[in-house]
Amino acid sequence: MTGTTEPLRFAQLHVDVARNATDDFNPFHDPVRWSSIRANPFPGPVVLGFQLLGLVAARIDHHRLACDEHEQLDSLGLRFSNFECRFAGAVLPGQDVEVVVKPSRTGHGGSPALSNRVALYADGRIALTGFKRETRGALYLPDVEPFSADELDDAQDRTFLRGGDWFLKRKFISNGHAKNFLCASLVNAADYIDELAGEVNFPEVFPCALLSCALLERAWCEERDFERHPFVYQSHRLSIDRDRLAALRSHDRLHLLTRQCADGEGKLAYECLGIVSDQRPLFSGRIDLMRLGELT
């Protein structure tokens, strides 16, 4: 088993940098507005969910390098990274954070795969659990009806498409925002983006992290009240095409699409897509949220 050897700590500055890098305006992360949230059980602003996943993903990357597993990914054609994580509690600035990555396992359901279970602790309590699984195809939302480039290019930002099912939020990829997101996730940005060395490798989680903005923009257009009726993340299930990610460059236009799907009482669920230039998604998946009052 591998993991951190010393506690890590997020500061409010890390939270502010992460939310500014992703345009996340959720009051749960705001150093002033958090206190306006009705029945908020948290004693202050909380770390972003994607910020935690960014740290976890970097730890798995370190594990891959330490165990020399990248050749195995290439030889087996495992081009998709699939994350599934469940949030068991919030992480607050100042808490001791530890990430544990369990040893890799091969194969899944009779198909080639490389998998690792992960856990993140805050002050010794579990805050996130899940796994990352490398596969040949996307595990989450692989068969969604494609969007044409013309359909997306002709649509206005922050509009509903296809009869109101899909909400479009358009963003632009930026080296600077990606590096800020990495630093805010307690990750050395130069491990991924180093202009002097001619290296630009966007981290897998960064484009997905822009979904927070897309979902908030959608909720704002639907006139949801963020302070009176707040929701929090319950789980992320995301599939990222690493070949598409490797071709991503600063100033590329990213179309973020979200569609509400079946959900239970007190919960919301969204199917999500990130499309850069053609019909094949950069990432796809599902985000589940739950009403704050449903927390146990």
Side-chain angles (χ1 to χ4, degrees), residues 247-264:
L248 198 63
R249 291 295 177 265
S250 193
H251 304 304
D252 279 351
R253 183 167 50 176
L254 177 63
H255 304 280
L256 298 159
L257 294 141
T258 59
R259 175 174 66 179
Q260 189 171 346
C261 52
D263 59 304

Side-chain angles (χ1 to χ4, degrees), residues 39-185:
N40 189 352
F42 309 126
V46 300
V47 178
L48 282 66
F50 278 107
Q51 195 176 359
L52 299 176
L53 189 57
L55 173 59
V56 168
R59 292 291 171 173
I60 297 174
D61 285 345
H62 291 166
H63 175 88
R64 292 274 181 270
L65 287 171
C67 298
D68 198 23
E69 293 176 342
H70 285 93
E71 288 187 6
Q72 186 176 359
L73 297 181
D74 294 338
S75 64
L76 293 175
L78 307 179
R79 63 179 278 185
F80 283 86
S81 289
N82 305 276
F83 291 92
E84 181 167 330
C85 66
R86 187 174 186 87
F87 296 94
V91 177
L92 298 165
Q95 290 184 317
D96 288 347
V97 174
E98 181 186 10
V99 179
V100 174
V101 179
K102 293 189 176 181
S104 302
R105 302 184 66 176
T106 58
H108 174 65
S111 300
L114 192 66
S115 305
N116 299 87
R117 289 210 166 269
V118 296
L120 183 146
Y121 298 85
D123 282 350
R125 293 186 176 184
I126 193 73
L128 179 153
T129 61
F131 62 81
K132 181 185 183 186
R133 183 168 289 133
E134 321 272 6
T135 58
R136 289 177 175 172
L139 295 183
Y140 308 117
L141 210 63
D143 301 320
V144 68
E145 182 182 354
F147 285 82
S148 69
D150 289 342
E151 183 178 8
L152 295 176
D153 290 342
D154 293 343
Q156 292 186 354
D157 186 27
R158 300 205 313 175
T159 55
F160 288 88
L161 309 180
R162 295 187 176 177
D165 284 346
W166 289 96
F167 178 79
L168 169 66
K169 174 61 187 173
R170 190 174 289 120
K171 301 291 290 182
F172 289 86
I173 295 297
S174 161
N175 285 3
H177 288 161
K179 290 190 289 185
N180 282 337
F181 176 77
L182 286 164
C183 292
S185 302

Side-chain angles (χ1 to χ4, degrees), residues 165-239:
D165 284 346
W166 289 96
F167 178 79
L168 169 66
K169 174 61 187 173
R170 190 174 289 120
K171 301 291 290 182
F172 289 86
I173 295 297
S174 161
N175 285 3
H177 288 161
K179 290 190 289 185
N180 282 337
F181 176 77
L182 286 164
C183 292
S185 302
L186 308 182
V187 177
N188 180 14
D191 289 346
Y192 295 87
I193 301 175
D194 186 345
E195 288 89 349
L196 291 178
E199 294 288 337
V200 178
N201 301 294
F202 285 98
E204 295 169 352
V205 172
F206 171 65
C208 303
L210 299 175
L211 280 171
S212 286
C213 173
L215 290 170
L216 289 165
E217 294 268 18
R218 178 184 180 123
W220 181 261
C221 289
E222 293 173 337
E223 299 184 344
R224 295 186 182 273
D225 192 319
F226 296 99
E227 296 177 349
R228 291 178 178 271
H229 305 291
F231 282 79
V232 294
Y233 283 137
Q234 183 180 36
S235 64
H236 291 353
R237 281 169 278 186
L238 299 163
S239 295

